[in-house]
Amino acid sequence: MPYQKKQQPHFNRSCIGFAISSALLCCAAAAEENTPAEEGKKLLDLEKIIVTGTTRRGQTKLESSVSITTLDAKQLEREQPLGTADLLEVVPGFWVEDSGGETNNNVAPRGLRGGEGFRYIGVEEDGLPVVYDGVWVDFYQRQDITIQNMEAVRGGTSGLLTVNGPAALVNFITRKPDDIEEGTIRISTADYGMIKTELFYGTPISDNWKMAIGGFYRHSDGVRDTEFTADHGGQLRLTLVREFEKGQLTLSAKHLNDHTTFYVPIPLKDQQNPTGIPGVDPQSGTLIGNDQRLLSYRKTDGNYVTRDLKDGQHTQFSTLGFNLDWELSDNWLMKLAGRYSKFDNDMYILLNFDNATLMNANDRLAQQDVQGMLSHFADDGAVRAMYRYVGDDQLINDPSQLNGNGLVTTSYPLFSSYQAEQFVNKASFTYEGEQNNLTLGWLFAYVDADTLPVDKWESQFLTEVRSNARRLDIVAVNNSGDVVGQLTDNGSTGYAPGWGQATAFGTSSSHSFFINDEFQATDDLRLDAGIRIEWLKLDSTASGTQFAVPILGAFNANGDDSDNIMANNYADMPSSKFYNQTRNETEAAWTVGFNYTFNKDMAMFGRYADAFEMPRLLSHGQGIHSGKSADFNDVVNLTFSELGLRYSGESIGTSATLFRTKFNDLTERNFTSSNGAVANQTIDTITDGVEFEAAWQATDDLKIELTGVVQEPKMSGFEGDFKHWENNQVKRTPKMQLRITPTYYFNNGDVYLTMHHLGDRFSDGENKFELPAYTTWDAGVNYQFTSSLRLHVKAANLTDEIGLTEGNPRAINDQQAGYEYYYARPILGRTISASLTFDF
């Protein structure tokens, strides 16, 4: 069998960022002659050859035995996503929480609760895992025009063909250079001060070698107004391809250096009908701003360390890799791939905590720490506590009038760092017979982490409640109104918050061996089965925390406070005592499936899979507050059953999958006391549902697309104080999602409207705090000026809907309901973006 060279379709682009009015004019002027933009293309791309979730060359979506969603370059372009999570909203069965900004978002597959990052989803680039255990994966996998395709498998073979992706496998396939010189330039802008430039250029450089270079640079004020540059940085990618008579070698290098801002929940009121409060715009507001941009933290040596929120989540990520496809004989194919990655990521964010920290300003002055301050400074004449803004000597006489809401709150700075090197290698050998396709493979992943992302709680700061909130000091005054002492230090209520300053480092080493066999039993029936066995070794060392250590110089020789500021006398610091923990795990995943093709347009498929997630290296350090008894998290086992049907006719294409997903031995984390102690419940979740995709070519110039899921996600296995949670709806997970997009094609482009409906969910395990259902509307237009120049304009959340993706995940005892004012994170408000793409 001759080597099948992958054909690279020409990269189509559209867009600009300066002329919404011109786009609308294009629509009005072009409706005279109607031509379907995708003439000759089969509905739902069922004829598309896929490379993800299968080990057989040339397999189409129609012939596959997995639930798979694919996006080509044109579809990726039309989505114009804010980040990787935002893009995955198009995948049925994925619940996406993308309200955190460009990065650090959550994607939950098939009934798993929200708020877990990308956990249980294997994210790959060109068939290799980006991050072995999924830590902060959307920091490293970014969207630009160097991505050619995206393929997403739900369940199915994901637990067989990748590591730590038992519930789903998402593969981003990069654009390779072609046999001709070509390139693409795109310039994008948005109404929140974003400008992004993207580039791809590919060319032959000799008879056998080709090269490509590409990437992006982006500068943005942020989708929520932070008063400073929220997102800035870029990525550069280089690819070399060598063609051989029997195969192809690809060499690649990538470097990302980027900063993003994390948006946390904001104050709202009315839990049944979420509404903004005076001073905080729910569509575009955030409490962070210039006054909190540069915060200083006192250390035990008496010095201050200043951190800049403009640095925010700073990601530096470099990779070197190769892919080799080689025909060993007429029947044997070898695939080798490897990648070295270097991670250097600092995450600095400001969080909220319990809803009770949103409180009446006068009530805050009556709390115990304030009364203690008045007693402490009583000998100096203290009689009253008052507020003043940091950096301002003017006292606030009537705090009940602050910003029209009379509230104050506390922010909790968190710093976390991840510095590691990773080696991933994959080798497979495939026998291709007339009826049988057998693959033997090995996947190796090694991580050496100098610094693991163990949360460091730096302090807590008192602020007013408004967009771009300012810090407040609480001071003690005498009868004359003179300040005689103060509780806070530039807004900080203390540098010893009592939650942790641990450090951790370690290594993980994973070997997986897998076998997958696909057997063509008859002309119409294909059977497949596979098994993967993984051996994992973890080795982690982590320190505890020394709490409330006296700061050098905080007290004089008599033991008195040296500066009459109570908050700057103590600090938490990493302990000099370290604990080591090792773990060896062996687990097996297996799956069986089938595909029965009725004809060239219709097929049925089914599958059962038993998969697992291995313990995470970072989990030992995250639990180090328990000291010597700290350990890694346990293995999580998952099972999937699914039965699907695909059809593509002349005017209708559809794919529907019935599924049952069961997650075993999940840890449900519940806050149980006001001091932050937690109790973990080991539970199961069971989700039954149906996922569907459909396309209807109603007329030559009108197509309507539909995707969605209807499911019943339940939790079971609660004990003790939480037994009444049994059979509750899985936290933050909807029972229904629906996405409908009609597209009207005209002579030189198209115009589309997307409705996205999300059913109600619950932010808490007790199912008392409901996150109401909501519907958003997006609209866009593509216009082709010439064969090489196109415009794309898109408006997202046209109606400025206030939909909540989460309530308050840091609520004490998970008690979120019943508050007049509460923290929750709304979806992003209305944004308008535009981009211009030039192909050459």
Side-chain angles (χ1 to χ4, degrees):
M1 181 182 294
Y3 178 73
Q4 297 176 351
K5 180 184 170 185
K6 182 180 176 184
Q7 297 298 314
Q8 297 288 343
H10 188 65
F11 211 53
N12 295 319
R13 293 293 181 222
S14 60
C15 312
I16 191 176
F18 47 75
I20 295 170
S21 59
S22 68
L24 297 176
L25 182 61
C26 292
C27 279
E32 297 179 3
E33 183 181 348
N34 300 325
T35 304
E38 301 189 65
E39 186 175 353
K41 188 174 183 180
K42 208 168 186 179
L43 294 173
L44 294 184
D45 288 348
L46 294 189
E47 81 287 5
K48 178 181 175 61
I49 293 175
I50 59 174
V51 299
T52 306
T54 180
T55 54
R56 186 167 72 96
R57 287 193 293 181
Q59 187 172 106
T60 66
K61 288 177 67 176
L62 182 71
E63 299 166 337
S64 70
S65 55
V66 295
S67 297
I68 186 167
T69 298
T70 61
L71 294 181
D72 60 21
K74 187 174 182 180
Q75 292 167 314
L76 288 170
E77 172 189 323
R78 186 161 110 164
E79 287 304 314
Q80 203 162 307
L82 182 65
T84 298
D86 186 29
L87 174 65
L88 296 182
E89 191 175 73
V90 304
V91 180
F94 279 11
W95 157 229
V96 175
E97 298 176 344
D98 57 357
S99 54
E102 291 193 15
T103 60
N104 203 0
N105 287 298
N106 305 304
V107 181
R110 279 192 174 173
L112 184 71
R113 60 180 178 254
E116 297 274 358
F118 280 64
R119 195 172 175 188
Y120 310 111
I121 299 175
V123 177
E124 295 186 338
E125 186 173 271
D126 293 329
L128 284 177
V130 176
V131 184
Y132 165 72
D133 58 3
V135 177
W136 290 347
V137 68
D138 65 334
F139 283 138
Y140 312 114
Q141 187 60 44
R142 301 300 183 88
Q143 302 305 305
D144 62 24
I145 59 175
T146 64
I147 300 296
Q148 177 77 49
N149 300 305
M150 184 276 286
E151 299 181 348
V153 173
R154 288 105 60 197
T157 55
S158 60
L160 175 70
L161 299 178
T162 192
V163 289
N164 288 315
L169 170 57
V170 178
N171 188 18
F172 292 94
I173 302 165
T174 59
R175 184 181 178 186
K176 304 298 189 298
D178 211 333
D179 293 329
I180 60 172
E181 182 182 17
E182 61 178 358
T184 304
I185 297 174
R186 174 183 293 167
I187 300 174
S188 306
T189 190
D191 59 354
Y192 49 85
M194 185 275 289
I195 297 177
K196 183 177 183 179
T197 302
E198 300 170 73
L199 167 70
F200 174 87
Y201 174 71
T203 183
I205 54 178
S206 71
D207 290 342
N208 297 315
W209 283 95
K210 296 173 286 189
M211 62 128 342
I213 190 170
F216 76 90
Y217 181 81
R218 181 265 295 101
H219 183 280
S220 171
D221 292 338
V223 290
R224 292 188 178 275
D225 179 18
T226 62
E227 297 186 316
F228 53 80
T229 302
D231 308 312
H232 51 103
Q235 174 176 277
L236 183 66
R237 186 194 303 273
L238 175 66
T239 304
L240 294 172
V241 176
R242 172 68 159 89
E243 300 287 356
F244 298 93
E245 182 180 350
K246 290 184 175 292
Q248 183 185 80
L249 172 67
T250 301
L251 304 175
S252 61
K254 181 173 68 174
H255 180 68
L256 171 72
N257 190 343
D258 192 48
H259 302 258
T260 57
T261 290
F262 184 57
Y263 302 107
V264 297
I266 60 173
L268 298 166
K269 63 181 181 181
D270 192 349
Q271 293 184 356
Q272 281 69 45
N273 181 31
T275 308
I277 68 173
V280 183
D281 187 331
Q283 280 89 4
S284 62
T286 174
L287 296 189
I288 62 176
N290 276 334
D291 189 74
Q292 298 180 72
R293 176 184 160 185
L294 298 171
L295 296 179
S296 296
Y297 306 97
R298 200 172 195 194
K299 302 302 180 182
T300 54
D301 62 2
N303 296 315
Y304 286 85
V305 172
T306 300
R307 301 196 190 281
D308 190 345
L309 269 181
K310 186 177 177 181
D311 291 335
Q313 300 168 131
H314 183 196
T315 302
Q316 297 183 81
F317 178 51
S318 301
T319 67
L320 293 171
F322 77 93
N323 288 74
L324 175 65
D325 293 349
W326 197 268
E327 273 199 350
L328 298 173
S329 69
D330 289 344
N331 298 108
W332 283 95
L333 173 68
M334 178 181 70
K335 291 188 175 185
L336 303 177
R339 182 183 297 134
Y340 163 79
S341 302
K342 184 175 183 180
F343 305 89
D344 189 349
N345 199 101
D346 290 340
M347 182 178 71
Y348 173 52
I349 60 180
L350 300 185
L351 297 173
N352 55 278
F353 210 66
D354 188 64
N355 289 337
T357 62
L358 268 172
M359 61 189 312
N360 179 281
N362 283 322
D363 291 344
R364 177 67 181 90
L365 293 180
Q367 286 198 325
Q368 184 177 349
D369 59 344
V370 179
Q371 298 309 305
M373 175 195 70
L374 293 177
S375 298
H376 184 79
F377 294 112
D379 292 343
D380 299 305
V383 295
R384 182 185 178 193
M386 298 185 71
Y387 294 105
R388 69 182 181 191
Y389 288 110
V390 170
D392 187 344
D393 292 334
Q394 185 68 40
L395 298 172
I396 299 172
N397 291 314
D398 187 3
S400 67
Q401 299 302 309
L402 279 171
N403 304 307
N405 56 53
L407 300 174
V408 295
T409 193
T410 307
S411 64
Y412 298 81
L414 181 147
F415 179 79
S416 198
S417 183
Y418 184 44
Q419 296 176 342
E421 294 180 294
Q422 175 181 275
F423 297 87
V424 177
N425 292 282
K426 189 174 186 178
S428 66
F429 297 87
T430 299
Y431 172 79
E432 298 176 326
E434 291 186 6
Q435 288 183 280
N436 204 50
N437 188 282
L438 175 67
T439 297
L440 309 175
W442 167 70
L443 180 58
F444 169 71
Y446 177 77
V447 177
D448 186 352
D450 292 332
T451 304
L452 285 164
V454 178
D455 295 343
K456 294 177 170 60
W457 296 93
E458 303 278 60
S459 178
Q460 38 198 15
F461 284 85
L462 184 68
T463 73
E464 61 184 349
V465 175
R466 69 160 204 179
S467 295
N468 313 128
R470 295 168 292 177
R471 289 167 293 154
L472 293 166
D473 274 325
I474 297 178
V475 299
V477 299
N478 59 22
N479 283 321
S480 301
D482 299 322
V483 175
V484 297
Q486 64 187 71
L487 174 67
T488 55
D489 179 29
N490 289 319
S492 172
T493 59
Y495 303 106
W499 294 327
Q501 275 284 329
T503 59
F505 55 91
T507 62
S508 69
S509 180
S510 165
H511 290 270
S512 289
F513 291 92
F514 62 90
I515 300 173
N516 191 53
D517 189 70
E518 301 186 32
F519 177 67
Q520 196 72 41
T522 70
D523 289 344
D524 301 318
L525 176 64
R526 194 184 71 259
L527 306 174
D528 62 88
I531 185 170
R532 178 174 69 91
I533 300 176
E534 180 176 358
W535 294 267
L536 174 68
K537 181 178 181 179
L538 300 175
D539 188 328
S540 172
T541 301
S543 77
T545 300
Q546 290 181 270
F547 295 105
V549 177
I551 291 174
L552 184 66
F555 302 99
N556 60 27
N558 297 322
D560 299 323
D561 193 331
S562 59
D563 59 5
N564 286 342
I565 300 175
M566 298 179 67
N568 64 2
N569 296 330
Y570 299 92
D572 295 338
M573 63 180 291
S575 169
S576 58
K577 186 173 184 179
F578 286 83
Y579 303 92
N580 177 259
Q581 189 68 265
T582 61
R583 174 82 71 89
N584 289 281
E585 291 282 357
T586 301
E587 287 290 332
W590 61 274
T591 180
V592 293
F594 78 90
N595 177 285
Y596 186 85
T597 304
F598 296 99
N599 52 49
K600 64 183 179 64
D601 296 322
M602 185 174 181
M604 174 183 288
F605 67 94
R607 181 167 293 277
Y608 181 84
D610 190 312
F612 61 87
E613 182 207 52
M614 282 296 199
R616 308 174 95 190
L617 179 61
L618 62 85
S619 61
H620 170 245
Q622 287 181 326
I624 200 62
H625 57 272
S626 60
K628 187 177 181 180
S629 63
D631 202 351
F632 301 101
N633 69 292
D634 293 325
V635 173
V636 176
N637 296 106
L638 303 79
T639 59
F640 301 90
S641 308
E642 56 188 321
L643 181 66
L645 186 69
R646 298 187 177 102
Y647 170 76
S648 182
E650 292 184 1
S651 60
I652 293 178
T654 185
S655 175
T657 306
L658 294 168
F659 69 89
R660 163 168 280 202
T661 303
K662 186 175 182 182
F663 288 76
N664 300 314
D665 302 329
L666 282 175
T667 299
E668 177 70 19
R669 188 170 183 264
N670 303 297
F671 291 91
T672 58
S673 66
S674 59
N675 65 7
V678 298
N680 293 333
Q681 295 271 312
T682 300
I683 65 165
D684 300 334
T685 70
I686 299 176
T687 302
D688 295 312
V690 56
E691 300 164 347
F692 47 88
E693 297 179 82
W696 176 35
Q697 193 72 52
T699 67
D700 286 346
D701 46 282
L702 177 64
K703 183 167 75 172
I704 300 174
E705 296 168 286
L706 168 69
T707 63
V709 61
V710 177
Q711 60 188 10
E712 187 70 28
K714 292 183 178 180
M715 302 184 291
S716 65
F718 287 102
E719 299 176 347
D721 293 340
F722 300 97
K723 193 171 183 179
H724 61 290
W725 292 16
E726 189 75 6
N727 291 322
N728 279 359
Q729 185 173 333
V730 175
K731 186 188 301 186
R732 290 162 66 168
T733 302
K735 291 185 177 181
M736 184 177 75
Q737 283 195 80
L738 186 64
R739 181 183 170 103
I740 304 175
T741 302
T743 302
Y744 175 76
Y745 298 96
F746 52 84
N747 187 39
N748 293 312
D750 63 75
V751 59
Y752 61 91
L753 180 70
T754 296
M755 183 212 75
H756 181 209
H757 176 77
L758 190 75
D760 53 9
R761 294 139 290 129
F762 293 93
S763 185
D764 58 333
E766 195 171 8
N767 284 191
K768 283 192 173 181
F769 184 10
E770 181 178 340
L771 302 173
Y774 64 86
T775 301
T776 60
W777 297 85
D778 301 343
V781 58
N782 291 284
Y783 188 80
Q784 187 91 37
F785 291 104
T786 68
S787 61
S788 58
L789 183 66
R790 301 216 303 261
L791 170 71
H792 181 204
V793 178
K794 181 177 181 179
N797 193 6
L798 280 166
T799 59
D800 245 358
E801 179 77 8
I802 305 176
L804 305 183
T805 63
E806 66 181 58
N808 188 347
R810 284 162 287 278
I812 300 294
N813 284 325
D814 206 20
Q815 297 295 319
Q816 303 185 44
Y819 289 87
E820 180 181 4
Y821 302 105
Y822 61 94
Y823 276 108
R825 191 163 69 180
I827 60 175
L828 305 175
R830 180 173 51 242
T831 60
I832 300 174
S833 58
S835 58
L836 187 70
T837 301
F838 177 63
D839 295 321
F840 59 91

